Amino acid sequence: MSETDIQTAVNDARRELVSFRVGEQEYCVDIMSVREIRGWTPATALPQSPSYVVGVINLRGAVLPIIDLNRRLSGVPVQASARNVIIVTHIGHRLVGLLVDAVSDILTVADDLIQPTPDVACDTVKSFVRGVIAMDGRMISLISLDRILPDVEAEAA
Amino acid sequence: VDPLEQIKITFFQECQELMADLETGLLTLQAGEGDSETINAVFRAVHSVKGGAGAFGLEDLVRFAHVFETTLDEMRTGRLAADDVVVKTMLRAADMLADHVAAAQGNGAADVERSEGLVADLVALTQETPAPLPAPVAVPDFEPATGADEFGFTPMQVSIEAPLEGFDFTPPAAAGWRVRFAPKASMYAKANDVTPLLRELERLGPCAVQLDTDALPAFDAMDAEGAYAAWTVELASDCAREAIAEVFEFVDGDCDLSIEPMAGASAAPEPELDIEAMLALARKPGPAVPEGQVQALIDQIVPAAPVSLEAPPPRVQVAAAVTAAPTTATAAATQSTIRVDLERVDRLIDLVGELVINQAMLAQRVAESGVPRSSHVMVGLDDLEQLTREIQDSVMAIRAQPVKSVFQRMPRLVREIASMTGKEVRLVTEGEGTEVDKTVIERLTDPITHMIRNAIDHGLETPERRLEAGKPAEGVVRLAALHRSGRIVIEVGDDGRGIDRPRVRQIAIDKGLIDADLVLTDEEVDNLLFLPGFSTASTVSDISGRGVGMDVVKRSIQSLGGRISITSVPGKGSTFTMSLPLTLAVLDGMVVSVGDQTLVAPLTSIIETLQPKPADVRTLGPTSRVIAVRDAYVPLLDIGAVLGWRGECPNPSQGVCLLVESEGGGRAALLVDAIQGQRQVVIKSLEANYQQVAGIAAATILGDGRVALILDVDAAVALRNSRPTRDEAPPLALAS
């Protein structure tokens, strides 16, 4: 997605974002894509899966895959414990749990405060970060969830 | 969604049912078991298809259905005998009609040539001088009649239409009755209907019905519940006046009735003119009413019943209701079913599945808390368990459907293949009412189709050969369904030549599938048919020689958790038997532990379990291991290592082996740490929120609330060659 596309896509009004901490960094996603936030429960490991797929858990009868967001975004695995949280999000028609360190805030941000992603030579950043927000001296990256799952990525390619 | 589109969808759904009724009726007639009610049912089916099609302007369909209906009507009035030739033509016409319906639905195009040919055949049956093709009958003019039928005029239609079609309509004989019948509003208020009365009248003899709309007021002056229409029926019958009066016995006082003997040969009045007049009248808005208001009224009516403008006004309200369920009263009485979106049922099944899991979790927690077995809480929990099981069974029963829906597609297939191969075939079906889960039903069609094709193409001999062999020229293909020990068994048998075992063996050797000097039992030879790339037909035919053989059938059945077997007696025929689980929503599994994970292995794939002795385990090559099972060496696979959860287990004798049979009949021993027990588990899709995982068929949720994976035995065995561990998973290419 080019910068102009981002501009047109996010041009209207204000939006609400859920921000959370993963490792040393802060990220946020659109609140509309978040279905619920729940505590960590041990996951059942999936064979033949990328390392950032922690496994699957039971979400009231549905099988929910859990993505270790830190490992996905920075390659460093989270030692999951009861302190971690799972953000259950909609990605397309799927439900996916994101394993994060903590949910920090709900932000209301005007679209013009979302700056284009600085041009860094990092594929991960290019793939996931749609823009950055500067707030109280913190930098929060707005991430796109479309490519979080391995197969969705394959479809996009 | 566009309401008209919605109605159209409903129409096509009903078409499916009507086509099924049609075929069932014709087959009953063919078997010589039909009566006049069967013929009526067949007629009604075609008629309803035509009626609906007319409303949607599906001209090709209407045209064909019309010819078909005309011929059926000849049969209904007894002018055409329902003999074998006639019924066979009608069966072909029914197939064609189904094609037309499919074409109208946008599924391919109907074969015009074949359609025209059948039209000619149908017309020829009535032995009239070839009636002018109904094409000239302009559909818009045609619709009113069709529309009127929507309100139950079915039996009357013929008389109105017959003159239009150029039929030799015999005018009522001199000795007849003219019945004038004008219902009052009170008759409709008492839920009486004109249709049954007219139908009763028709039983007395041929009727010519004329609708009298003189009393019809302008549109704006109409009372929705008023009665404005009157009928004049010319009954060509020498019955007693009392017989006619008896018909109207129940509406006595609620209608104006006059019964007069007819003098001389009065030909039936030209109904066309009356309809035209009525149309004009109905279409003409009252002068005082603003255009917009009429349009609004029309708009109100049109989506529900596009033709109700032409209907007699007193019936407008009824009309809407009838259109919502446009089956005739007779059909409505026999069915007490509702149409429910499958998604809602699935949602309910999901919820009940969750309830079962939750109940199990609750029971486990309470048991752990040390509450005594005899306490009220435990007794209550036991009741709850009983109840949840019952709910689960009932909910699963909602999805259960008789296999009839699959079986009834087969007669057509048999006819087509029989005519292609020049063989005479009779299909016998048994156990059509056997119920099985909808998900299974949907996936039964292909294997059954293939097996029937095979039975006719390869199993049955040509009529000449059969006669030589002292068998009747007509071969029999038997399709049966039955329940056996919690599974559904489907059998497809023929009384043909049976499997030519020496030839099968020779072909397998020629194709390099087996070694020439291999000694095989009869059963083993039969099973060669299931090997990929095997085809016995010497000429590759259009029917079963498309390169997909019985191996495809076997694989699709196995993917449903089923098995297939053959029995064959040379000269007497062969029978293919497949056994399938009743549902794909639950599975009987063996719950096993592998490392710190819990896995479920489908019970159907497990032959036996065994405790490996250290002496039985041998190493073959650098890492591969085999285990001796009664003198045969079977590859030993450590499931934990295959799935990448841990390294190869150094000491197999500490675990337990599951001896499984995989696709193609190969055996393997899967090493697990321990067996926890057998359990019925609810299958949960992994694809819904994630994606397919190699070696894993699906997931389930166990009593402790955790997700357990269900092993895909075939895929797991196939994985043994490539065994990447989790961290060696291929790096993901980040597409830009």
Side-chain angles (χ1 to χ4, degrees), chain A residues 144-157:
Chain A
S144 150
L145 298 174
D146 301 342
R147 288 200 171 142
I148 289 289
L149 280 181
D151 65 328
V152 176
E153 189 169 62
E155 278 165 23

Side-chain angles (χ1 to χ4, degrees), chain B residues 74-75 77 174-175 193 235 300 328 425 444 459 521 535 548 565 602 622 658 673 683:
Chain B
E74 290 291 303
M75 192 194 260
T77 50
D193 197 345
L235 179 62
Q300 252 175 2
T328 56
V425 190
L444 274 179
T521 63
S535 173
V548 288
S565 62
L658 311 177
D673 291 359
I683 297 174

Side-chain angles (χ1 to χ4, degrees), chain B residues 213-219 275-285:
Chain B
T213 54
D214 290 347
L216 192 66
F219 201 82
I275 290 176
E276 289 301 323
M278 183 181 116
L279 274 179
L281 192 62
R283 284 191 175 131
K284 192 172 67 187

Side-chain angles (χ1 to χ4, degrees), chain A residues 31-99:
Chain A
I31 201 165
M32 295 314 288
S33 64
V34 176
R35 173 164 142 171
E36 64 182 271
I37 294 164
R38 52 175 296 145
W40 162 251
T41 46
T44 302
L46 288 173
Q48 313 290 324
S49 296
S51 52
Y52 54 80
V53 179
V54 180
V56 285
I57 65 163
N58 167 21
L59 180 74
R60 289 181 304 278
V63 176
L64 184 79
I66 304 297
I67 304 286
D68 179 343
L69 210 54
N70 201 31
R71 183 136 195 186
R72 184 66 166 134
L73 297 176
S74 61
V76 184
V78 170
Q79 261 323 329
S81 70
R83 288 207 313 272
N84 289 92
V85 234
I86 291 168
I87 304 178
V88 182
T89 56
H90 292 281
I91 301 179
H93 59 279
R94 291 181 162 93
L95 279 181
V96 177
L98 306 177
L99 177 65

Side-chain angles (χ1 to χ4, degrees), chain B residues 171-194:
Chain B
W177 297 97
R178 179 178 287 118
V179 182
R180 194 179 146 73
F181 167 54
K184 296 175 184 170
S186 60
M187 191 192 106
Y188 294 116
K190 288 177 186 168
N192 280 308
D193 197 345
V194 179

Side-chain angles (χ1 to χ4, degrees), chain B residues 156 159-160 169 172 198 201-209 233-236:
Chain B
M156 294 300 110
S159 308
I160 295 177
F169 183 75
L198 293 177
L201 269 188
E202 208 204 18
R203 289 209 180 148
L204 297 172
C207 292
V209 185
V233 182
E234 286 180 357
L235 179 62

